[in-house]
PDB file of all heavy atoms in Angstrom:
ATOM      1  N   LYS A 130      47.642 103.315 155.229  1.00 95.00           N
ATOM      2  CA  LYS A 130      48.090 103.749 156.642  1.00 95.00           C
ATOM      3  C   LYS A 130      47.972 102.573 157.601  1.00 95.00           C
ATOM      4  O   LYS A 130      48.830 102.326 158.430  1.00 95.00           O
ATOM      5  CB  LYS A 130      47.239 104.908 157.077  1.00 95.00           C
ATOM      6  CG  LYS A 130      47.368 106.271 156.359  1.00 95.00           C
ATOM      7  CD  LYS A 130      48.574 106.921 157.054  1.00 95.00           C
ATOM      8  CE  LYS A 130      48.591 108.316 156.732  1.00 95.00           C
ATOM      9  NZ  LYS A 130      49.846 108.972 157.011  1.00 95.00           N
ATOM     10  N   ILE A 131      46.849 101.867 157.556  1.00 96.00           N
ATOM     11  CA  ILE A 131      46.646 100.687 158.406  1.00 96.00           C
ATOM     12  C   ILE A 131      47.742  99.653 158.097  1.00 96.00           C
ATOM     13  O   ILE A 131      48.265  99.067 159.015  1.00 96.00           O
ATOM     14  CB  ILE A 131      45.224 100.154 158.299  1.00 96.00           C
ATOM     15  CG1 ILE A 131      44.202 101.189 158.742  1.00 96.00           C
ATOM     16  CG2 ILE A 131      45.064  98.901 158.936  1.00 96.00           C
ATOM     17  CD1 ILE A 131      42.728 100.926 158.354  1.00 96.00           C
ATOM     18  N   ALA A 132      47.972  99.425 156.803  1.00 96.00           N
ATOM     19  CA  ALA A 132      49.007  98.402 156.405  1.00 96.00           C
ATOM     20  C   ALA A 132      50.362  98.819 157.043  1.00 96.00           C
ATOM     21  O   ALA A 132      51.142  97.968 157.512  1.00 96.00           O
ATOM     22  CB  ALA A 132      49.138  98.374 154.931  1.00 96.00           C
ATOM     23  N   ASN A 133      50.671 100.156 157.043  1.00 95.00           N
ATOM     24  CA  ASN A 133      51.968 100.569 157.631  1.00 95.00           C
ATOM     25  C   ASN A 133      52.053 100.340 159.111  1.00 95.00           C
ATOM     26  O   ASN A 133      52.987  99.904 159.665  1.00 95.00           O
ATOM     27  CB  ASN A 133      52.184 102.053 157.303  1.00 95.00           C
ATOM     28  CG  ASN A 133      52.593 102.277 155.947  1.00 95.00           C
ATOM     29  OD1 ASN A 133      53.043 101.437 155.233  1.00 95.00           O
ATOM     30  ND2 ASN A 133      52.307 103.547 155.475  1.00 95.00           N
ATOM     31  N   GLN A 134      50.837 100.605 159.764  1.00 96.00           N
ATOM     32  CA  GLN A 134      50.728 100.369 161.252  1.00 96.00           C
ATOM     33  C   GLN A 134      50.871  98.861 161.639  1.00 96.00           C
ATOM     34  O   GLN A 134      51.458  98.560 162.589  1.00 96.00           O
ATOM     35  CB  GLN A 134      49.462 100.914 161.834  1.00 96.00           C
ATOM     36  CG  GLN A 134      49.432 102.439 161.801  1.00 96.00           C
ATOM     37  CD  GLN A 134      50.446 103.044 162.775  1.00 96.00           C
ATOM     38  OE1 GLN A 134      50.622 102.594 163.897  1.00 96.00           O
ATOM     39  NE2 GLN A 134      51.134 104.061 162.332  1.00 96.00           N
ATOM     40  N   LEU A 135      50.353  98.024 160.777  1.00 97.00           N
ATOM     41  CA  LEU A 135      50.372  96.605 161.044  1.00 97.00           C
ATOM     42  C   LEU A 135      51.670  95.955 160.476  1.00 97.00           C
ATOM     43  O   LEU A 135      51.941  94.788 160.716  1.00 97.00           O
ATOM     44  CB  LEU A 135      49.244  95.878 160.313  1.00 97.00           C
ATOM     45  CG  LEU A 135      47.881  96.213 160.823  1.00 97.00           C
ATOM     46  CD1 LEU A 135      46.749  95.596 159.958  1.00 97.00           C
ATOM     47  CD2 LEU A 135      47.718  95.864 162.309  1.00 97.00           C
ATOM     48  N   GLU A 136      52.604  96.805 159.922  1.00 96.00           N
ATOM     49  CA  GLU A 136      53.814  96.442 159.359  1.00 96.00           C
ATOM     50  C   GLU A 136      53.710  95.178 158.354  1.00 96.00           C
ATOM     51  O   GLU A 136      54.466  94.252 158.446  1.00 96.00           O
ATOM     52  CB  GLU A 136      54.787  96.031 160.476  1.00 96.00           C
ATOM     53  CG  GLU A 136      55.155  97.266 161.311  1.00 96.00           C
ATOM     54  CD  GLU A 136      56.067  96.955 162.537  1.00 96.00           C
ATOM     55  OE1 GLU A 136      56.422  95.753 162.719  1.00 96.00           O
ATOM     56  OE2 GLU A 136      56.421  97.896 163.273  1.00 96.00           O
ATOM     57  N   LEU A 137      52.773  95.285 157.488  1.00 96.00           N
ATOM     58  CA  LEU A 137      52.530  94.225 156.450  1.00 96.00           C
ATOM     59  C   LEU A 137      53.616  94.259 155.464  1.00 96.00           C
ATOM     60  O   LEU A 137      54.362  95.328 155.346  1.00 96.00           O
ATOM     61  CB  LEU A 137      51.210  94.543 155.694  1.00 96.00           C
ATOM     62  CG  LEU A 137      49.855  94.471 156.610  1.00 96.00           C
ATOM     63  CD1 LEU A 137      48.613  94.777 155.711  1.00 96.00           C
ATOM     64  CD2 LEU A 137      49.819  93.214 157.373  1.00 96.00           C
ATOM     65  N   THR A 138      53.851  93.106 154.743  1.00 96.00           N
ATOM     66  CA  THR A 138      54.862  93.212 153.824  1.00 96.00           C
ATOM     67  C   THR A 138      54.505  94.018 152.598  1.00 96.00           C
ATOM     68  O   THR A 138      53.332  94.453 152.520  1.00 96.00           O
ATOM     69  CB  THR A 138      55.080  91.686 153.222  1.00 96.00           C
ATOM     70  OG1 THR A 138      53.843  91.270 152.567  1.00 96.00           O
ATOM     71  CG2 THR A 138      55.379  90.736 154.322  1.00 96.00           C
TER      72      THR A 138
END
Side-chain angles (χ1 to χ4, degrees):
K130 289 280 195 191
I131 292 168
N133 286 338
Q134 289 296 315
L135 295 175
E136 299 178 356
L137 299 181
T138 66

